[in-house]
Amino acid sequence: MKQEFIEDFKIHLKSEKNFSLHTIRAYCADVYTFLLWIGELNPLEIEPEKFSEYIHFISQINYTKTTIARKIASIRAFYKFLYQEELMEYNPADSISIPKQNKTLPHFLYEDEVENILRGIKIETPAGYRNRIILELLWVTGMRISELSSLNYENLNLEQNEIRVFGKGAKERIVLIPNKTKEALINYIENVSDLICKTTKSSSSPLFINYNGYRLQNQSIRKALKACLADIHFTKHVTPHVFRHSFATKMLENGADLRIVQELLGHSSIKNTQIYTHVSIQRLKDVYQTVHPHAN
């Protein structure tokens, strides 16, 4: 019965909530762990007090506040689903509150640091050229790595310097690329991709491929970035998502409207975008402390 509930929940998250595959896996794993914890108890007969016991239990484990918050959100979503399916007379998880998380400023790179990384990629090889254009796209568009790896040829409108992206919840948006990046991307499509693997380029074909002609996965992009950072002895911890943070920070520093940045990033709420204003302000303070003669 428990396994059947999880399978139905998975379908619900995919077809009705349009959650990403990564989020679906995380939510289902969280629910599975909870159902294992309650043992022989019927999940349809759980009392609210049991959730409090479970939250206390996972709080004793070395989880981050973010992970605990997600686990609680997963259970809340699961029981909301059971209630909506009329499998329960009331939702016992309604009263669970998600603990407030400490807000941390996102890590970002300065423009010269990004250029240093891009210059460090050896573009003499087909894979190197591909990796360079991938990181450049992350930097100039603010795309998530999952959005970039899922791009197909049909998503490109290079005449208008546009790329159609499907973000979280399958929400569609348009990101823009400068002419220099467009020219590099066209060169990849027309000359480089066939050197990686000669494949048919239909509208539904993946844009970025590996040597077997299959779609380049997120982990391969992370691995390529890690290798590049090691080659140039770059000491900062950098992930593909840092390029997204760097894009947003740079846009706001250069005077972009917050709503425009929200649109380009695909944030559903302006609150998610406002964090980058704090990053920009903190950077201004750092510069002031460094260069102003009476700052200290």
Side-chain angles (χ1 to χ4, degrees):
M1 179 181 65
K2 292 179 180 179
Q3 188 62 41
E4 184 179 335
F5 286 158
I6 291 180
E7 289 301 320
D8 291 342
F9 181 53
K10 183 187 296 184
I11 295 171
H12 166 72
L13 295 178
K14 181 178 180 181
S15 60
E16 296 185 33
K17 293 297 185 180
N18 287 321
F19 281 6
S20 69
L21 182 59
H22 175 77
T23 302
I24 292 172
R25 286 173 177 168
Y27 269 46
C28 290
D30 292 338
V31 171
Y32 182 73
T33 302
F34 173 73
L35 296 181
L36 283 178
W37 181 80
I38 65 173
E40 297 299 321
L41 293 177
N42 187 335
L44 301 180
E45 298 175 356
I46 293 293
E47 296 296 329
E49 294 76 17
K50 205 65 182 174
F51 298 118
S52 299
E53 291 178 25
Y54 184 68
I55 293 171
H56 176 73
F57 168 72
I58 61 177
S59 297
Q60 307 307 307
I61 304 173
N62 192 26
Y63 289 132
T64 64
K65 287 186 177 181
T66 302
T67 300
I68 291 175
R70 191 206 65 221
K71 288 180 176 296
I72 295 173
S74 302
I75 295 170
R76 280 169 56 102
F78 177 66
Y79 273 90
K80 183 178 180 179
F81 162 72
L82 294 179
Y83 175 69
Q84 289 174 341
E85 292 294 303
E86 300 183 350
L87 295 172
M88 308 183 73
E89 294 185 1
Y90 78 104
N91 182 356
D94 244 353
S95 59
I96 306 176
S97 59
I98 298 177
K100 290 186 177 180
Q101 303 175 48
N102 296 328
K103 289 188 177 180
T104 56
L105 295 181
H107 298 293
F108 69 96
L109 298 169
Y110 295 105
E111 188 172 359
D112 60 336
E113 291 176 320
V114 176
E115 294 301 329
N116 186 28
I117 292 173
L118 294 179
R119 284 195 303 268
I121 301 176
K122 299 173 182 177
I123 62 173
E124 294 80 10
T125 65
Y129 190 95
R130 177 203 61 200
N131 296 341
R132 155 84 193 220
I133 190 64
I134 283 174
L135 296 184
E136 186 173 333
L137 280 171
L138 292 176
W139 160 236
V140 302
T141 66
M143 274 190 282
R144 300 177 179 92
I145 183 175
S146 58
E147 295 169 346
L148 184 140
S149 64
S150 63
L151 288 177
N152 297 330
Y153 283 97
E154 62 190 354
N155 298 118
L156 304 180
N157 181 6
L158 296 182
E159 288 186 4
Q160 300 297 322
N161 293 54
E162 296 176 353
I163 299 178
R164 185 161 47 97
V165 172
F166 291 92
K168 290 184 176 181
K171 292 180 180 177
E172 180 181 339
R173 73 181 190 279
I174 298 296
V175 298
L176 308 174
I177 58 174
N179 287 328
K180 182 181 176 183
T181 304
K182 178 178 74 171
E183 291 167 4
L185 184 55
I186 290 173
N187 186 47
Y188 163 78
I189 293 170
E190 294 181 350
N191 302 309
V192 179
S193 62
D194 282 346
L195 298 177
I196 295 174
C197 185
K198 196 170 182 61
T199 59
T200 302
K201 295 182 177 69
S202 66
S203 60
S204 60
S205 297
L207 178 59
F208 295 110
I209 57 175
N210 59 25
Y211 281 111
N212 294 317
Y214 296 115
R215 185 182 303 279
L216 196 68
Q217 299 299 314
N218 296 355
Q219 191 57 37
S220 298
I221 297 174
R222 292 191 180 95
K223 186 176 179 181
L225 173 59
K226 186 176 181 180
C228 171
L229 296 173
D231 286 342
I232 63 174
H233 306 290
F234 197 82
T235 55
K236 274 189 177 181
H237 177 65
V238 181
T239 65
H241 212 69
V242 170
F243 285 86
R244 178 173 165 87
H245 295 324
S246 306
F247 163 82
T249 305
K250 190 64 180 176
M251 289 288 291
L252 288 170
E253 283 183 350
N254 287 344
D257 182 85
L258 193 63
R259 291 287 182 184
I260 297 297
V261 178
Q262 177 192 4
E263 183 70 22
L264 291 172
L265 291 175
H267 284 161
S268 57
S269 170
I270 194 71
K271 292 181 180 179
N272 296 330
T273 317
Q274 285 173 332
I275 187 68
Y276 296 108
T277 62
H278 300 306
V279 175
S280 298
I281 292 170
Q282 184 58 50
R283 182 175 174 183
L284 287 174
K285 288 180 179 178
D286 293 342
V287 172
Y288 175 79
Q289 292 289 339
T290 303
V291 303
H292 197 281
H294 298 292
N296 297 313

